[in-house]
Amino acid sequence: SIPLVSEKQKAKYEQLLDEGLFVGYEDPIRTKLPLDDKRPKISLWGVLKSMVGKDMTKITLPVSFNECTSLLQRVAEDMEYTDLIDQAAHSDDSALRMVYVAGFAASEYASTIGRIAKPFNPLLGETYEYARPDKKYRFFVEQVSHHPPISAAYAESPYWDYYGESFVKSRFMGRSFDINPLGMWFLNVRPDHGVIDKFGKKVPEELYTWKKVTSSVIGIIIGNPSVDNFGDMHLKNHVTGDSLILHFKPRGWRASSAYELKGDVVDKNGKPCYSIGGHWNSKIFARKLNPDGNPPGEPFLIWQAAPRPEKMAFNLTTFASSLNALQPHLIPYLPPTDTRFRPDQRAMEEGDYDVAPGEKQRVEDKQRAAQKYRTEKGIQYKPHFFVKKRHPVTGDEYWEFNHEYWFLRKDKKLKELGDIF
Ligand code: CLR
C-alpha cells in the first residue's frame, strides 16, 4: 500500500484510525447484485411525452424506471477512482497534480453509460456512508434539504478531503432530459512534499474547486436513449493559481465526437503546462507542453475506465454494485437512516417489484407527515451533520461537515438518529 510521507498525511491517518475508519468494513466487498434485473421493458417516450417542461421531482414514473441505487449512492460513485487524487498527492509538480485532479473529476462520468434509470430520491435526513480500508478513505453524505433536493457530502483520506453538495436542476425538454448540477465541489490535497503557493511560500495543503457538467438523456424519441455529459468544467487551484477549463464535447450527430474531452492546464501566469485529452467513457491522456517552442512530451495515460462486466443488473458498474450491500459487520454501526435500510430500494434490489411501489408510497407519506408536524409546531428542520456557511477561501456557499457522525458511529451511538423509513 501507498506510504504516508508528510506529517499532515500521518496526522490525518491517525485521526481516521482513531475514529474507527476500518470498523464495520471487515466483510468482503460485494461485486454484483444478488439478483438479475427483471424489470419490464417500457418505452421511456411513451411515459414522458406528456411531461414536457417538468423537472424530475414532479415526474412520477413507474418503479420500473428506477434503478436500485439512491442519489446519495450516486454521489458516492464519485469515489470509484480516488486513486487519481492519491496520485495527485504523490506528485511534486502542481500542474501535474491538476492533471490527476482533472482525471478524477472526469472519471465519475464513465459510470453514467447505460444507466437510463432514475435513482431513488433520498428522504430528508437519509444518510449514506461508505469506507474503504483498502484505499484508506471514508465517505459520508446526508440529504440536507428536500425542496429543493440537496445532498451534502464529505469524504476524506490521509491525502485529501473532498466535499460539496449535489444539487441538480432537471427538466424534460421534449427531446432530451437535462440535468444541471448547481453545487460546487471542493478538494483539499495534501501533497507528499508540500506546496509552494502563488506567493512563493511553502504550505502543507492546497484547495481545488470545480462544478460538475451537464448530464442529458438523449435519443428518447427515437427509442434509443443514452446519457451524454457535456459543457466546460472550470477547475481551479486556489493555492498555486493553476487552472484548467476541461471541455466535454456534446455528442452531436457524428458518433466520432462522442465522449470526447480536452483542455490545457495553465499556471498562475497563464502559461500552458499540460494538455489533457481523451474520452470520459474509456481513457484520458495527458502530455507535457513546452511553451519555449520545444516539442511537447509523449502522451501518457492518466486514467482508464474499469471494465464493465456484461449482464450487470441495472447496468451498474462493479463499484456501484457494492454500495447497497448490507454487510453483517456493518449493521451494528449504521444509523437507521442509512440508505441500506431503505425498504423500497431494498425490495427493488431483491426483485420484489410488487412490494417496492407500496413501500415507496409509505415512506414518502411518512416524510410528508413529518413535514406537516414540523410546520404545525413551527419547528425549523436542521440537518444532523452539516451547516450551511460561506467558504473561508472561495466565499461560495457550502455545507460545512461537523465531523460528529464518525465519533458517534464508533461508539454505536447512531441508533437514535431518526425514524424516517
Ligand atoms: C451525474 C453526476 C453528478 C450527480 C448526478 C446527479 C443526478 C443524476 C446524474 C449524476 C446522472 C444522470 C441521472 C441523474 C438523475 C437522473 C438521471 C441518473 C449521477 C437519469 C439518467 C434520468 C433517467 C431518465 C428518467 C426519466 C427515466 O455528479
Side-chain angles (χ1 to χ4, degrees):
S1 93
I2 324 150
L4 300 163
V5 180
S6 79
E7 288 313 310
K8 268 252 177 183
Q9 293 172 356
K10 288 178 191 159
K12 182 79 195 207
Y13 195 49
E14 283 305 310
Q15 180 209 332
L16 294 176
L17 287 178
D18 245 24
E19 291 173 23
L21 169 63
F22 293 90
V23 187
Y25 285 93
E26 293 84 358
D27 295 306
I29 298 161
R30 185 171 79 175
T31 54
K32 62 185 188 55
L33 296 189
L35 282 181
D36 290 343
D37 169 5
K38 292 189 291 281
R39 288 172 300 165
K41 291 262 172 296
I42 309 173
S43 144
L44 187 55
W45 172 243
V47 182
L48 281 181
K49 61 185 171 203
S50 60
M51 302 188 187
V52 177
K54 286 198 179 173
D55 73 44
M56 214 162 35
T57 60
K58 309 247 160 52
I59 295 179
T60 35
L61 290 167
V63 189
S64 50
F65 283 107
N66 273 63
E67 62 174 27
C68 56
T69 71
S70 78
L71 274 173
L72 299 182
Q73 291 165 329
R74 292 296 297 242
V75 180
E77 286 189 47
D78 284 10
M79 299 289 96
E80 180 168 1
Y81 299 101
T82 53
D83 306 29
L84 281 160
I85 39 178
D86 295 345
Q87 185 76 37
H90 303 317
S91 309
D92 288 338
D93 168 9
S94 72
L96 185 57
R97 288 198 292 274
M98 176 67 93
V99 167
Y100 287 114
V101 169
F104 171 72
S107 67
E108 69 159 295
Y109 293 101
S111 66
T112 63
I113 302 278
R115 309 267 298 274
I116 316 295
K118 201 182 155 202
F120 282 82
N121 198 7
L123 300 163
L124 185 60
E126 189 171 326
T127 60
Y128 180 73
E129 61 155 81
Y130 187 76
R132 283 291 289 264
D134 58 330
K135 304 211 166 191
K136 295 199 182 82
Y137 73 73
R138 69 185 184 193
F139 168 92
F140 176 74
V141 58
E142 175 182 359
Q143 191 71 0
V144 291
S145 165
H146 182 59
H147 279 303
I150 301 176
S151 326
Y154 193 91
E156 56 205 313
S157 103
Y159 310 111
W160 44 262
D161 310 316
Y162 174 62
Y163 52 100
E165 67 170 18
S166 173
F167 172 13
V168 299
K169 278 246 180 321
S170 61
R171 193 160 300 279
F172 179 48
M173 308 298 288
R175 314 180 130 266
S176 63
F177 193 93
D178 293 354
I179 298 110
N180 256 309
L182 306 176
M184 179 72 92
W185 288 86
F186 302 83
L187 175 71
N188 294 118
V189 175
R190 288 179 277 281
D192 290 353
H193 303 107
V195 186
I196 308 294
D197 76 6
K198 53 187 162 198
F199 311 109
K201 214 177 109 206
K202 185 148 182 185
V203 294
E205 218 171 87
E206 57 191 4
L207 171 70
Y208 296 83
T209 56
W210 66 90
K211 277 186 181 172
K212 295 177 189 274
V213 298
T214 300
S215 302
S216 180
V217 183
I218 56 177
I220 297 174
I221 297 180
I222 59 167
N224 184 21
S226 63
V227 179
D228 193 20
N229 298 289
F230 56 87
D232 286 341
M233 187 184 260
H234 294 250
L235 294 107
K236 196 169 168 195
N237 183 334
H238 294 264
V239 169
T240 63
D242 297 333
S243 66
L244 159 69
I245 301 176
L246 193 56
H247 177 65
F248 290 64
K249 227 175 178 174
R251 175 190 282 252
W253 293 107
R254 284 178 309 118
S256 62
S257 64
Y259 319 116
E260 241 179 76
L261 57 75
K262 60 174 185 204
D264 288 351
V265 177
V266 300
D267 72 5
K268 62 175 189 292
N269 304 315
K271 189 184 87 176
C273 306
Y274 279 91
S275 175
I276 300 178
H279 296 90
W280 51 260
N281 68 328
S282 57
K283 284 178 186 164
I284 302 175
F285 297 89
R287 69 197 323 200
K288 199 173 167 61
L289 298 174
N290 292 311
D292 348 335
N294 295 322
E298 285 296 309
F300 56 96
L301 185 70
I302 58 166
W303 168 82
Q304 184 166 10
R308 300 277 293 261
E310 265 177 66
K311 292 222 212 111
M312 288 290 265
F314 302 93
N315 266 334
L316 297 191
T317 58
T318 305
F319 183 84
S321 305
S322 77
L323 298 175
N324 206 40
L326 199 45
Q327 292 151 310
H329 282 92
L330 192 54
I331 293 173
Y333 291 96
L334 292 176
T337 50
D338 193 278
T339 302
R340 293 177 185 82
F341 293 126
R342 193 170 159 162
D344 46 354
Q345 195 177 317
R346 179 65 56 198
M348 183 95 185
E349 185 179 297
E350 290 175 350
D352 295 331
Y353 303 136
D354 305 337
V355 178
E359 283 296 280
K360 184 161 178 280
Q361 186 67 45
R362 189 183 59 73
V363 293
E364 282 170 359
D365 287 347
K366 188 162 172 170
Q367 165 165 264
R368 258 186 297 277
Q371 179 56 44
K372 187 162 169 251
Y373 175 82
R374 281 191 296 270
T375 312
E376 280 168 10
K377 300 271 178 207
I379 302 168
Q380 169 87 36
Y381 182 81
K382 276 223 296 286
H384 294 285
F385 302 105
F386 290 92
V387 190
K388 200 173 190 170
K389 290 221 170 134
R390 269 199 190 280
H391 196 279
V393 176
T394 70
D396 295 293
E397 277 195 343
Y398 84 119
W399 293 90
E400 188 185 68
F401 186 45
N402 68 17
H403 296 271
E404 276 169 31
Y405 181 86
W406 298 102
F407 283 116
L408 294 169
R409 175 195 191 278
K410 184 180 146 196
D411 300 323
K412 301 185 180 156
K413 281 189 186 147
L414 286 167
K415 290 295 168 196
E416 307 291 303
L417 198 56
D419 173 20
I420 57 168
F421 296 149

